[in-house]
């Protein structure tokens, strides 16, 4: 077990951190609160601007 942690410890830690950040993001965007509305607004504005550049 010690050798596994020495070899893969950093990778395992990175996966755990990414999963935790993903869970926080899903929890923040799951509700129809301020964060979710602003995130949707930012994405809509970004893609609208990019579509305007293409025309």
């Amino acid at each position: 077990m010690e050798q596994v942690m020495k070899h893969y410890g950093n990778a395992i830690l990175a996966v755990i951190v990414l999963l935790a950040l993903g869970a926080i993001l899903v929890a923040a965007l799951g509700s129809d609160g301020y964060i979710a509305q602003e995130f949707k607004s930012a994405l809509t504005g970004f893609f609208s601007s990019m579509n305007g550049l293409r025309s």
Side-chain angles (χ1 to χ4, degrees):
M1 184 67 177
E2 184 178 336
Q3 289 179 346
V4 171
M5 289 307 292
K6 281 183 182 178
H7 192 68
Y8 296 111
N10 290 336
I12 293 170
L13 182 61
V15 168
I16 290 170
V17 168
L18 289 175
L19 286 175
L21 287 174
I24 291 169
L25 186 63
V26 167
L29 296 177
S31 64
D32 285 333
Y34 176 75
I35 295 172
Q37 293 298 325
E38 288 300 316
F39 189 73
K40 290 175 188 175
S41 174
L43 283 178
T44 303
F46 173 77
F47 286 111
S48 295
S49 297
M50 289 297 114
N51 192 27
L53 290 175
R54 194 179 71 179
S55 299

